[in-house]
């Protein structure tokens, strides 16, 4: 599972926030870091200075015995990232996100969405403010939201692979949304909700058993909430003291895609934790 970790940068100090997480991935899993800076189309002014800045980062990483190389490309960020991912055989993309400065000046919503929605490798979105990188030898606490779909369960397979390299504590989470009716503040639930929650909890228990068989500390939590699903998930992650959230993308379920899914988009936008987006099966 040696990684080629692609880290897109924009030259800002904020964008460098992704680097500690990329370094952690390479230290744990082995491999190298590839730094990418995308400049606007037209002309070559600034290419040499930009390359010099990236070479400085490569030398700093080398002092930590981390292999790294750097590239400067011109064009649209999403096209350059997609092309570089394929060209260097990247197995993970690490991007700073979430804030109204730094990378978001050119990693706007549409660009970020395009990169994530089109990615065929996991993408780690790192907020500029949030949890530090957990120590390499300590158990990392990870929350995996599920919605009953096979797409969402793609994240569980990645958890099993990751756990072979470092200890993990995993929370499999499911939010059953209750609806509040404005008249008299009544709370309603679908007539079959109890049966569906019971069935989904049983399936989650089966998944947890698979993880435990691999020696992974796994628990299941099904919560009925009147709050928006994303808010309830983030509250659950806080209670669990999670270091990161892992969720699948590109499916057609409530939590299984990013570009079209309001819940997963809200989690990404609101989370103060890193969010690792795992590509689900493609049809």
């Amino acid at each position: 599972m040696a990684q080629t970790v692609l880290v897109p940068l924009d030259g800002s100090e904020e964008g460098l926030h992704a680097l500690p997480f990329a370094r952690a991935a390479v230290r744990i899993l082995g491999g190298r870091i590839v730094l990418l800076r995308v400049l606007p189309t037209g002309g070559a002014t600034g290419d040499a200075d930009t390359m010099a800045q990236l070479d400085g980062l490569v030398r700093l990483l080398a002092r930590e015995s981390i292999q790294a190389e750097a590239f400067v490309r011109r064009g649209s960020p999403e096209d350059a990232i997609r092309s570089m991912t394929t060209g260097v055989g990247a197995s993970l993309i690490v991007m700073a996100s979430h804030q109204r400065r730094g990378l978001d000046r050119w990693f706007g919503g549409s660009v970020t969405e395009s990169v994530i929605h089109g990615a065929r490798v996991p993408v780690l979105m790192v907020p500029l403010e949030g949890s530090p990188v957990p120590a390499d030898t300590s158990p990392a606490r990870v929350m995996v939201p599920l919605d009953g779909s096979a797409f969402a369960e793609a994240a569980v397979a990645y958890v099993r692979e990751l756990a072979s390299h470092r200890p993990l504590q995993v929370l499999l989470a499911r939010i059953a949304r209750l609806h509040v009716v404005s008249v008299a503040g009544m709370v309603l639930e679908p007539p079959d909700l109890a049966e569906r929650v019971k069935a989904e909890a049983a399936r989650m228990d089966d998944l947890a058993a698979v993880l435990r068989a691999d020696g992974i500390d796994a628990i299941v939590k099904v919560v009925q909430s009147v709050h928006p699903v994303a808010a309830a998930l983030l509250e659950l992650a806080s209670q669990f003291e999670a270091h990161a959230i892992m969720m699948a993308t590109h499916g057609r379920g409530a939590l299984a895609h990013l570009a079209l899914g309001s819940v997963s988009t809200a989690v990404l936008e609101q989370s103060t934790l890193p969010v690792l987006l795992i590509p689900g099966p493609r049809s």
Side-chain angles (χ1 to χ4, degrees):
M1 196 181 174
Q3 301 276 331
T4 293
V5 179
L6 177 63
V7 183
L9 299 170
D10 74 340
S12 71
E13 183 176 345
E14 292 89 347
L16 295 175
H17 195 71
L19 268 181
F21 294 86
R23 292 201 308 263
V26 169
R27 286 198 304 267
I28 294 168
L29 305 172
R32 60 174 180 154
I33 291 175
V34 173
L35 306 175
L36 172 65
R37 175 80 188 278
V38 184
L39 300 177
T41 302
T45 303
D47 287 45
D49 289 342
T50 300
M51 195 67 227
Q53 293 170 2
L54 294 180
D55 284 341
L57 293 175
V58 169
R59 289 192 295 271
L60 288 174
L61 291 169
R63 293 174 187 172
E64 301 178 30
S65 299
I66 295 176
Q67 180 184 355
E69 57 184 312
F71 298 88
V72 176
R73 294 289 184 266
R74 287 189 177 270
S76 72
E78 60 265 53
D79 289 342
I81 293 169
R82 189 176 299 114
S83 176
M84 186 61 63
T85 300
T86 302
V88 301
S91 47
L92 175 68
I93 300 171
V94 182
M95 297 168 55
S97 72
H98 195 294
Q99 302 296 314
R100 297 302 180 187
R101 56 187 186 275
L103 284 184
D104 273 356
R105 288 180 303 201
W106 56 275
F107 276 162
S110 61
V111 174
T112 302
E113 192 169 281
S114 176
V115 170
I116 296 170
H117 188 60
R120 295 179 179 271
V121 301
V123 180
L124 179 63
M125 305 300 294
V126 179
L128 299 186
E129 297 179 2
S131 299
V133 180
D136 294 349
T137 56
S138 64
R141 293 185 295 276
V142 176
M143 186 181 79
V144 181
L146 298 174
D147 69 348
S149 72
F151 285 96
E153 293 175 12
V156 176
Y158 194 85
V159 164
R160 295 180 69 191
E161 191 173 9
L162 182 61
S164 65
H165 296 269
R166 69 163 300 159
L168 293 180
Q169 294 175 339
V170 181
L171 169 63
L172 303 180
R174 170 74 166 99
I175 304 298
R177 179 78 189 280
L178 303 177
H179 298 279
V180 178
V181 178
S182 59
V183 178
M186 296 175 58
V187 177
L188 298 181
E189 63 180 64
D192 62 341
L193 179 63
E195 293 181 4
R196 287 194 290 109
V197 167
K198 182 178 179 180
E200 290 170 9
R203 172 57 182 161
M204 292 168 66
D205 284 336
D206 290 341
L207 292 172
V210 171
L211 294 177
R212 294 184 194 117
D214 288 344
I216 302 170
D217 182 4
I219 61 175
V220 170
K221 190 77 171 179
V222 179
V223 176
Q224 298 185 31
S225 175
V226 298
H227 300 293
V229 174
L233 285 172
L234 294 174
E235 174 62 23
L236 197 54
S238 176
Q239 294 173 5
F240 183 58
E241 298 183 341
H243 294 118
I245 298 171
M246 290 187 187
M247 55 198 310
T249 63
H250 303 310
R252 298 185 181 277
L255 289 181
H257 59 283
L258 177 74
L260 301 177
S262 60
V263 171
S264 47
T265 300
V267 168
L268 183 62
E269 291 176 348
Q270 299 170 26
S271 178
T272 59
L273 301 173
V275 179
L276 181 63
L277 301 157
I278 313 296
R282 291 175 180 265
S283 56

